[in-house]
Amino acid sequence: MFKNSIITFIFSIISISICFGSQLPTNYYYKVTHVPIYCITTPCSQYRVHKVNTQDPEIVIENFVFPNGVEQNYFLLEEADTAIFYGTVTANRNGYNVNDFKVKRVYKQLPQGNAMTSTDKYYMFGSSGIACITTPCPSISAILLNIESTTNVNDVKQPYETNVPHFDTNWLFQKQFESVENRLIGVGAINSNGEVILTSSFVRLPDPISSCPALPLLKCQGGHVTTYQRGSNRCLENPTCSNDNDTRVCALYIPVCPTGYDLVPYTSISTCPTYYCDAYFLTKTY
């Protein structure tokens, strides 16, 4: 009798878990599109989402529910055309034949990429766990979003170092191998050499996810200036008092960034200005 009660109890727990588990929302990665229509009544569904790497039809979206800390202006109206959302589609609470989208994470496309090709797919990247003493080496895993199919590759090539002067390649490289929640999304194809040739990348916002560490305030003596290094998170670090006698040999020109980028200078260890072009939607770190 006691044994039968235990079995019944365990079966009930499993049944409840299965029942509730089936109701849990499923998150996927969706490319967003804005449809510029004019409405005089509601609902006015100006957005469509498509589950990347699938042949699923587009889904009409009436409303996005964003997480806290997201600057929504970068994802609404035409800005939505350069966005990927990770989240869940739910039936609209108003009962219309449209849907709400509960957003868990947001990604924004870096400007000045190359044109997307018909063979491009959406990837994240990580370590394959393979260590080599020669090259090429398939040390990187290219993971298809929403499919979870993995291919080991030798290299990932971005378009931005070529297309954008003063681009921070160290920052973008670091974004490839952060935690899964914070990694970039790359759009591209794998060639016959085992390389992923990306046409563009999407980075998670806000970036950086957490605020930069506070820096000590230095009181430099006369003839010295405070100089910095810039870390892979775009934060300034290692402030130092440096002799500024060499500032007279600094370049006098100020570079110009391409459309979609802001010029961000800082005083480097040489005591001359160092310039980066950061995407306009990235949080200013100094």
Side-chain angles (χ1 to χ4, degrees), residues 170-184:
N170 291 331
W171 164 78
L172 192 61
F173 179 81
Q174 181 68 27
K175 303 300 290 184
Q176 288 183 189
F177 300 104
E178 289 193 357
S179 63
V180 173
E181 294 79 8
N182 297 327
R183 287 178 190 167
L184 64 77

Side-chain angles (χ1 to χ4, degrees), residues 207-208 212 230 233-236 264 278 282-286:
D207 181 88
C212 294
R230 176 164 143 148
N233 57 357
R234 299 187 301 108
C235 296
L236 295 184
V264 182
D278 287 346
L282 299 177
T283 303
K284 302 297 184 288
T285 56
Y286 52 90

